[in-house]
Amino acid sequence: MRRPHRAPAATRTAVSAVAALTLLTTGCGAAGELKSAGDAPSAVEPEGLWPDLPPASAAPYDYGEGETARIPGVRVTGGDVRRLDPVAVVRAGLTARTNRSSGLDELPDSTVRGIEACRTAPDDCPVLAPYYRDLTGDGRDELVLGIRMPDRQLAVRVYMPDGERLIRIMSTYDAVISVELAGHDVIMRAPSVIPGYEYRTAWSWDDRQRAMLPTRDEILRTPDHRKAPKPPSGPSSPAAPSGSPSDATADSPAAPTGSPSGAR
């Protein structure tokens, strides 16, 4: 989720710097008349600092980027993920073997118990309504699932049909403000410790890695009409889902709302 990496929600106790905001102002003169905004600044060549420092040997954090898994026992008839039972997919994924281990595919015991009881207690099922979108650009829809976790955390997972097999190509979790589909991207917004700011991360399909990667990670000012919630100091009950399932043409699926807190 992060280039450069940022710490998970519970460990984001301080932010070393906020990216400078550039404001380009233009004005208008009389009707039909353009007014100059001034000379454009000259391009400045980047200056490398501390060239003798050795390169980093390992990433500071692991956000599950590039981690994939084949979901055992799930057959995708005709490559159509809309035929799949979302709860069955999540249950089968509990025993999936990942190509590497970040731990972000694991779910808390209380969430696992809720998944196992989805048939008998559907009102308490943590698996949210599915969404469908062609995120890889191959003309076939992927399956996008959300799983409610304790402390208003949300696990977000994306599954791709591969012939009649099902491959999980994204698995992460965070305390989120919202999750959106925009074009081929999954966009997650999370609260910042800085009042009036929020994190915005776009996950995109990468052909070489064959997985969804966090291609853009930003800290942005919250629009005046929508104040970012301040993370509460203590644990809270999971947020209730809102909205209804979307088809592949919808741009912004609903997500749990409220004042998220907790760790990635």
Side-chain angles (χ1 to χ4, degrees), residues 76-141:
V76 188
T77 304
D80 185 1
V81 294
R82 292 174 179 263
R83 299 183 181 184
L84 299 177
D85 178 350
V87 173
V89 168
V90 174
R91 291 184 64 181
L94 296 175
T95 59
R97 298 183 61 180
T98 59
N99 62 329
R100 68 178 188 84
S101 179
S102 69
L104 292 185
D105 64 314
E106 299 175 2
L107 296 170
D109 291 342
S110 60
T111 303
V112 173
R113 289 194 295 269
I115 294 169
E116 298 290 351
C118 281
R119 298 289 179 250
T120 57
D123 291 343
D124 297 324
C125 182
V127 181
L128 303 182
Y131 289 88
Y132 306 93
R133 175 65 66 89
D134 178 12
L135 296 172
T136 63
D138 64 356
R140 295 179 300 178
D141 285 341

Side-chain angles (χ1 to χ4, degrees), residues 65-68 169 204-213:
E65 61 265 39
E67 182 176 301
T68 62
I169 57 174
S204 310
W205 169 252
D206 183 87
D207 278 323
R208 183 169 66 177
Q209 189 63 33
R210 303 291 295 173
M212 300 287 288
L213 299 183

Side-chain angles (χ1 to χ4, degrees), residues 5 20 23 35-36 50 59 74 85 127 134 138 141 199 208 211-212 220 241 248 255:
H5 284 301
L23 179 62
K35 183 178 179 180
S36 173
W50 305 295
V74 176
D85 178 350
V127 181
D134 178 12
D138 64 356
D141 285 341
Y199 291 106
R208 183 169 66 177
M212 300 287 288
L220 303 172

Side-chain angles (χ1 to χ4, degrees), residues 177-249:
I177 298 171
S178 72
V179 183
E180 302 171 345
L181 293 177
H184 295 297
D185 293 342
V186 176
I187 297 176
M188 299 178 63
R189 291 172 40 236
S192 167
V193 295
I194 303 176
Y197 288 80
E198 65 186 29
Y199 291 106
R200 183 179 184 272
T201 304
W203 290 75
S204 310
W205 169 252
D206 183 87
D207 278 323
R208 183 169 66 177
Q209 189 63 33
R210 303 291 295 173
M212 300 287 288
L213 299 183
T215 53
R216 294 189 303 280
D217 191 35
E218 307 167 292
I219 182 169
L220 303 172
R221 291 184 63 175
T222 305
D224 291 338
H225 68 278
R226 177 177 49 75
K227 299 296 183 182
K230 183 178 180 181
S233 56
S236 305
S237 300
S242 63
S244 58
S246 159
D247 60 21
T249 62

